[in-house]
Amino acid sequence: MVKAVIGEETKLKEAEDRLSHSATPAQVGLVIGKLSSTLDRGFVFDLVPTPLNDAGEPACSLLDPSRDDKKKGSKPKSQAPDSSALAIDKDWVAEHARQVSRMLLGGMKVIGIYVWVGDNAFKNSTITLCQTVKGIADAAPLSGIDLDERILIHICYSPRRWTCRNCSLTSNITSSNLRPCDFKMGKVFNSLQRFRCTYNFDLRLPMYKSASNVQTLPDILRHAISVHAKELKGAKAIIDGNLVVNDEPCTSDGLHEVELLLPFMKDVSTEACSQKEVIGVIVFSGSVCSFAYINLKEPISQAVADIKEDIILSLQSRLDVICDEADGDAGETDGGSMEGSNKESPTSRLFIHLLRKTTSLSFPRRVFVPWLAGLLVCDYLQSSEMLEVLKDHCVELLSMKATFDNSMILEPEVEPPAVITRSFWDVAVPLDAVSSSKKSLRGETSGKTEKSANFNIIVAAFFLFLSVIVGYVLLYVKGS
């Protein structure tokens, strides 16, 4: 349970000034930060407002039912209680959390929501707020953290004050899910340690023939990533050239280089090949650049765990980007004309049973951009996308100012991960090729074989004749 929350003072004051000058009666957004189960504390880096939805409407609005009662004359205005409440587009806030979570690096998470509203409207909207928190928790889960809660920050404008509450993620949501939590502002960025890792991997996965269901490439890759995550969990770490053997905090400053050493594992895929019919092989390989941030008081093992989690989440996010694009292309194809229908669509590459030849599929590359006080965020760009797409995403999803130029963007992944699928007959040696090679070999060596056979017959006849003569000689000597 998080007992106290510390927010970066500079960023929270900026958010407060922005809200006070916006003249909006209500606003909802995401809380970006870090929850530490070892320290029982939460750290808030920034507050990111949820953008307008597809209809151009805000994700949060203020409803005042008391206005409808004026026509009925139930109570005078001076005696009517403030019954205003919040109306929140919970699905849109959850979608915002899902997309923002892809852009965050190791140790940085969507840890809750904030709301800018008056006291009465807040008290009348506790169930709605808890449901919104539950929605962002489902859309952007905190894997690897044993905390079944998120935080809710309330910024009240009359009177002006900040309060923080823990929101437990139970199935039955009631007002009792919210519990008060200590909250203060301080210097969070000054106590962060930074880690970087370049991880190379090479996975070879068999494709099986399945009659019960259609096997898709995303299904195979998701399973492979989950299996590799378990293998990566047992990897040893070398930080700045030293093997991590203790669980003490990291006290040195600067950017720390991390290297992961995978253990020798039993190849379970080889065993599975004998139980199912293999129709092909998937080669999934590449390099992943990863960053992580931890508090000074956290153990160094937390940085290693955050790096490992960031690597796996990065692979999963790239796969999600490909699937999202394939779904969009499929929708356009369904609604478009029949022109070019004979061409191979991007979606067909996701289904194994449609593969009849070697197919290559490149994953999006991971690019990084400075965010707050030296912290980085990332985005995933397809080979056809330019860096302007990154800027648009940062402005829309993180409310960043588009003041950075291309020279500030980091592109450490020269070649992003790629997937190559090969059918079984491309991997195995064809039978006709083997027979033709044998015929060719026999043609080349037939002359030598005949000569050696004739020589062997002459030698055998000579030794047979010699043995007969020796036999006669022995009989003669014995008789005399």
Side-chain angles (χ1 to χ4, degrees), residues 25-203:
Q27 187 183 95
V28 69
L30 306 179
V31 178
I32 310 299
K34 182 181 180 68
L35 294 180
S36 175
S37 57
T38 57
L39 301 179
D40 293 330
R41 287 187 177 185
F43 303 95
V44 177
F45 299 160
D46 198 9
L47 306 181
V48 178
T50 298
L52 301 178
N53 58 21
D54 293 335
E57 300 174 350
C60 178
S61 59
L62 195 61
L63 301 178
D64 191 0
S66 63
R67 295 180 179 179
D68 299 333
D69 296 335
K70 292 180 180 179
K71 299 178 181 179
K72 302 177 183 179
S74 58
K75 285 185 180 181
K77 183 178 179 180
S78 58
Q79 299 179 3
D82 187 358
S83 58
S84 59
L86 287 171
I88 300 177
D89 189 347
K90 295 181 283 291
D91 294 336
W92 185 251
V93 177
E95 176 61 22
H96 182 215
R98 185 183 74 89
Q99 296 193 32
V100 167
S101 63
R102 290 181 183 177
M103 306 178 70
L104 302 178
L105 305 181
M108 298 191 297
K109 303 290 183 180
V110 178
I111 62 174
I113 66 171
Y114 78 90
V115 60
W116 161 265
V117 73
D119 260 342
N120 291 326
F122 181 85
K123 294 176 182 178
N124 296 333
S125 310
T126 54
I127 301 298
T128 300
L129 290 170
C130 289
Q131 292 173 344
T132 306
V133 173
K134 182 69 165 57
I136 66 108
D138 294 338
L142 302 182
S143 57
I145 301 179
D146 189 19
L147 289 174
D148 194 22
E149 61 186 28
R150 300 294 188 275
I151 65 174
L152 170 61
I153 295 179
H154 174 211
I155 312 171
C156 181
Y157 49 72
S158 181
R160 184 71 57 82
R161 66 172 178 269
W162 291 65
T163 56
C164 183
R165 292 171 174 82
N166 284 330
C167 182
S168 58
L169 305 176
T170 58
S171 56
N172 298 324
I173 297 178
T174 62
S175 58
S176 61
N177 288 55
L178 295 178
R179 298 183 300 272
C181 180
D182 293 336
F183 179 79
K184 65 179 182 179
M185 299 184 186
K187 302 295 183 181
V188 175
F189 294 149
N190 295 341
S191 60
L192 290 180
Q193 292 280 344
R194 297 164 174 81
F195 299 82
R196 178 178 62 189
C197 175
T198 300
Y199 177 72
N200 301 313
F201 68 97
D202 189 358
L203 306 179

Side-chain angles (χ1 to χ4, degrees), residues 179-246:
R179 298 183 300 272
C181 180
D182 293 336
F183 179 79
K184 65 179 182 179
M185 299 184 186
K187 302 295 183 181
V188 175
F189 294 149
N190 295 341
S191 60
L192 290 180
Q193 292 280 344
R194 297 164 174 81
F195 299 82
R196 178 178 62 189
C197 175
T198 300
Y199 177 72
N200 301 313
F201 68 97
D202 189 358
L203 306 179
R204 299 183 182 265
L205 318 168
M207 296 184 296
Y208 304 118
K209 182 178 181 180
S210 178
S212 59
N213 57 349
V214 177
Q215 197 177 27
T216 64
L217 183 58
D219 294 338
I220 297 177
L221 292 179
R222 289 189 201 282
H223 176 70
I225 292 173
S226 63
V227 172
H228 191 61
K230 298 178 182 179
E231 182 179 347
L232 188 62
K233 189 176 181 180
K236 298 296 182 181
I238 297 177
I239 299 181
D240 297 333
N242 300 316
L243 182 66
V244 177
V245 294
N246 52 31

Side-chain angles (χ1 to χ4, degrees), residues 280-324:
V281 174
I282 296 177
V283 180
F284 184 30
S285 61
S287 178
V288 176
C289 183
S290 171
F291 289 86
Y293 306 94
I294 65 170
N295 187 270
L296 275 172
K297 296 182 180 180
E298 289 185 286
I300 198 170
S301 61
Q302 185 62 52
V304 177
D306 289 343
I307 283 285
K308 294 177 181 178
E309 180 190 8
D310 183 66
I311 292 172
I312 297 300
L313 292 180
S314 175
L315 295 177
Q316 293 175 347
S317 297
R318 299 173 207 241
L319 183 57
D320 291 339
V321 170
I322 292 178
C323 293
D324 291 345

Side-chain angles (χ1 to χ4, degrees), residues 172 239 377 405 417 419 458 472:
N172 298 324
I239 299 181
V377 290
D405 53 21
V419 179
I458 295 175
Y472 277 114

Side-chain angles (χ1 to χ4, degrees), residues 337-357:
S337 62
M338 295 298 294
E339 182 179 357
S341 59
N342 294 330
K343 296 182 180 179
E344 182 183 9
S345 64
T347 320
S348 66
R349 293 183 296 178
L350 303 181
F351 291 93
I352 298 303
H353 74 290
L354 295 178
L355 296 177
R356 294 295 182 267
K357 58 183 180 179

